Each structure stands twice: as C-alpha cells, then as structure tokens.
C-alpha cells in the first residue's frame, strides 16, 4: 500500500502553545504518512487550486477560514475527520443541543431568543446560563433582570440553559474511537495542573451517555462536558476534536486513529467506527 497522504486544517499555534496537535502531526510523519499542514496558510492561495489532494483531512475547528476550506474540500468529495457538516453543527449550540435532545441525552432545559430581555420571565424559576451560540466568548450566569439587561450579544442569537449548581468538578469525557476517558477538572481552569485535571473511572451511566452523544452525530472523536447536580448528570456541552488534555498518551492515540482512517481511505474502505451510522441525522 502507498503511504497515506493527510492534510491538517489547524488553528494558529503560538510558540507557547501546549496543544497536542503538533505532536500528532509529527507522530504521523514518523509513522510514514505524508503530512501537510493546509491551514494556517503560508501565503495567499488561488481558490481554483484548492482541490482534494490528500486521502484524508483533519479538521480541528476554530478558524473560520479553515472551516470554509473544509467546506470547499467537502464539496469535492474529500474524507474529513470530523466530517464538515458535523463540525458545522457542533459549532452551533442551537443545532447541537437539539440534536443531543433528540438522541435522548440529558441536557439542561435550553432556550433560544432574539434578545436577552425575552428571557426575563424565565428567571422567576431560577438562574440561567447564557452562552455564545458559537465558539469564543464566555458563559455567564444570570440571576436577575438587571443582570440580564447588561448582557450584550450584538446581533447574535441568544442561547441559554437552565443553571444547575454543579456538585464538585466538571466531568470531562473524551472519546477516541472505541476508547472513553473521564477527567475531572475545575471550572474555570487557569494553571497547567488544572487543565490536566484528574482521571476518574466512568460509571456505566456516563459511558452510555457518552456513546449516545457520539451516535447522535455519527462520530467517535469528540469531548463532552458533564455536570452533576442534585444527583443527576447533565451534558452541558460537546466538542468536535477537543484538546484531550489529561488523557494519557493522547497524541499517540490520536495519531493512530488518524492513520487508520487515512489507510482505509487509501484502500477505498469506509471509515470503521462503532459509533457511526445509527441515527441517520447526517444522511
Ligand atoms: N447549565 C449549566 N448549569 C451549571 N453549570 C454550567 C451549565 N452550563 C455550563 N456550566 C459550567 O460552565 C462550564 C463551561 O460551559 P461550556 O462548556 O458550555 O462553555 P465553553 O465556553 O465551551 O467552556 P469550555 O471551553 O471550558 O468547554 C461547564 O464546564 C460547567 O462547569
Ligand atoms: Mg465547552
């Protein structure tokens, strides 16, 4: 078999970045793959030259240009991990929350509105968390109409969840193929130690919820944020290809995962995955 060709669409990593992605790129090259970083771009590119030239692309969200380039490759039939439509759905909290609800994942009651003031009557039943509907920005807990009046979202849609006071730390769940990893982390996280968190053993209930999230989007490379409140678990967020901080050997496991998908693409075999092809949502 010829060497698999893999293209990476990555965010800009500064020299102080502790991202695992540069190690993943190196590990794939060491394993014999031909690896190119397609984005960040080194220079202006003639759009008509953007063609599928790799067996597989890795799309790590964040930059809007990388997302547009992924869309351009998707339209030309590229194999992308995670697939372009799934990455787009997972960047939009409104879409991802409804998909998770439909898959029977326990989530806080979730509201959408055109202006923050429309949420005021909901505060009578308790606090809300307002979140940017797409990536970036910070979540805000709102308890009173006065606090609500201070929320500025420009013209973005308003996305809010019922606030459930968490018992203890966040349960982060990371998934790489068949493997699930639980890591407890405080929120917010500042130090390197806090970002690495502390591994914990997933209960069967949390494993089941995690699998359900993957099946809902037909992917098996993702992360979730779960809080426990009043003895109940709530999935408050899900991400495509998260940072995997605190997952033992994450760079190696990710490199193996990508190599496997790329090899299958070279051989014309479909990507293998326990979690995929279930709900039909993206078909
Ligand atoms: N509905 C909620 N009730 C209680 N706490 C919540 C709720 N939603 C979020 N949180 C807390 O806020 C944290 C951040 O929420 P979320 O993951 O939605 O935002 P984020 O901007 O994506 O943050 P991160 O990048 O850390 O994942 C959660 O890990 C949790 O501790
Ligand atoms: Mg999150």
């Amino acid at each position: 078999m010829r060497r698999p060709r893999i293209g990476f669409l990555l965010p800009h990593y500064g020299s102080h970045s502790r991202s695992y992605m540069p190690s993943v790129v190196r590990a794939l090259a060491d394993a014999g793959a031909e690896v190119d970083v397609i984005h960040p771009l080194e220079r202006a590119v003639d759009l008509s030259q953007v063609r599928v030239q790799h067996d597989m692309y890795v799309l790590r969200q964040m930059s809007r240009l990388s997302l547009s380039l992924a869309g351009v490759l998707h339209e030309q039939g590229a194999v992308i991990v995670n697939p372009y439509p799934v990455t787009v759905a997972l960047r939009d909290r409104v879409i991802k929350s409804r998909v998770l609800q439909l898959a029977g994942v326990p989530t806080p009651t979730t509201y959408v509105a055109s202006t923050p003031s429309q949420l005021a009557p909901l505060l009578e039943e308790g606090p809300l968390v307002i979140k940017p509907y797409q990536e970036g920005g910070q979540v805000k807990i709102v308890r009173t109409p006065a606090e609500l009046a201070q929320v500025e979202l420009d013209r973005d849609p308003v996305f809010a969840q019922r606030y459930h006071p968490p018992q203890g730390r966040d349960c982060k769940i990371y998934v790489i193929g068949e493997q699930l990893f639980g890591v407890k982390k405080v929120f917010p996280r500042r130090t390197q130690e806090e970002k690495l968190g502390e591994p914990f053993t997933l209960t069967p209930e949390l494993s089941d919820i995690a699998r359900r999230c993957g099946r809902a989007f037909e992917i098996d490379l993702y992360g979730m944020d779960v809080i426990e409140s009043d003895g109940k678990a709530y999935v408050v967020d899900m991400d495509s290809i998260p940072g995997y901080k605190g997952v033992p050997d994450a760079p190696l496991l990710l490199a193996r995962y990508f190599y496997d998908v790329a090899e299958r693409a070279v051989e014309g075999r479909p990507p293998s995955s326990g979690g995929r092809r279930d709900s039909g949502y993206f078909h």
Side-chain angles (χ1 to χ4, degrees):
M1 195 192 72
R2 67 171 173 77
R3 298 166 68 193
R5 286 194 291 264
I6 304 175
F8 273 84
L9 294 141
L10 297 173
H12 283 277
Y13 294 120
S15 54
H16 297 294
S17 162
R18 292 183 186 251
S19 167
Y20 289 153
M21 275 301 147
S23 316
V24 174
V25 171
R26 273 195 304 274
L28 282 165
D30 291 347
E34 256 177 65
V35 186
D36 294 308
V37 175
I38 313 293
H39 180 274
L41 298 175
E42 279 175 10
R43 62 185 80 82
V45 164
D46 174 350
L47 187 57
S48 70
Q49 302 305 305
V50 180
R51 300 196 185 97
V52 179
Q53 286 168 329
H54 298 79
D55 301 301
M56 185 204 65
Y57 294 87
V58 176
L59 173 57
R60 174 117 161 80
Q61 76 281 64
M62 289 195 235
S63 132
R64 278 178 295 174
L65 178 54
S66 65
L67 202 66
S68 293
L69 292 173
V72 163
L73 294 166
H74 170 73
E75 292 297 333
Q76 298 177 80
V79 174
I80 306 179
V81 174
N82 283 321
Y84 172 75
V86 177
T87 307
V88 169
L90 282 171
R91 270 168 62 96
D92 183 319
R93 289 196 202 261
V94 179
I95 302 171
K96 88 172 137 187
S97 300
R98 188 65 185 120
V99 173
L100 291 176
Q101 288 176 352
L102 289 166
V105 172
T107 58
T109 308
T110 300
Y111 303 94
V112 286
S114 298
T115 63
S117 60
Q118 292 172 338
L119 298 172
L122 298 166
L123 291 174
E124 284 164 22
E125 278 164 52
L128 294 168
V129 189
I130 299 188
K131 304 186 178 189
Y133 92 106
Q134 285 189 335
E135 88 287 9
Q138 288 193 337
V139 306
K140 274 190 204 76
I141 302 174
V142 176
R143 297 170 197 277
T144 62
E147 285 172 353
L148 197 55
Q150 309 221 306
V151 174
E152 280 178 32
L153 296 172
D154 295 323
R155 285 155 66 180
D156 275 355
V158 184
F159 176 94
Q161 285 176 344
R162 187 56 70 192
Y163 175 71
H164 294 281
Q167 298 161 334
R169 291 171 286 177
D170 286 354
C171 303
K172 311 278 276 187
I173 305 178
Y174 297 105
V175 182
I176 305 179
E178 296 288 302
Q179 289 174 278
L180 303 178
F181 302 89
V183 187
K184 294 233 181 195
K185 296 187 186 179
V186 293
F187 181 82
R189 296 170 284 284
R190 296 195 178 85
T191 65
Q192 194 52 24
E193 201 183 341
E194 286 174 348
K195 287 177 186 168
L196 287 174
E198 190 191 338
F200 74 99
T201 306
L202 291 171
T203 59
E205 187 207 357
L206 283 181
S207 304
D208 179 64
I209 292 173
R211 291 279 178 223
R212 213 175 262 264
C213 291
R215 281 200 301 272
F217 289 94
E218 302 172 5
I219 56 173
D220 56 9
L221 206 54
Y222 58 97
M224 301 145 54
D225 300 331
V226 182
I227 56 153
E228 283 174 324
S229 183
D230 248 340
K232 197 170 173 302
Y234 296 92
V235 174
V236 296
D237 196 18
M238 175 171 172
D239 289 303
S240 173
I241 316 188
Y244 290 102
K245 285 281 151 49
V247 173
D249 293 329
L252 189 68
L253 297 177
L254 288 166
R256 277 200 198 128
Y257 178 97
F258 293 136
Y259 201 95
D260 182 56
V261 178
E263 252 185 347
R264 285 173 176 276
V266 171
E267 293 168 358
R269 290 187 286 148
S272 85
S273 158
R276 290 180 208 198
R277 318 269 168 256
D278 201 63
S279 70
Y281 179 77
F282 288 96
H283 295 281

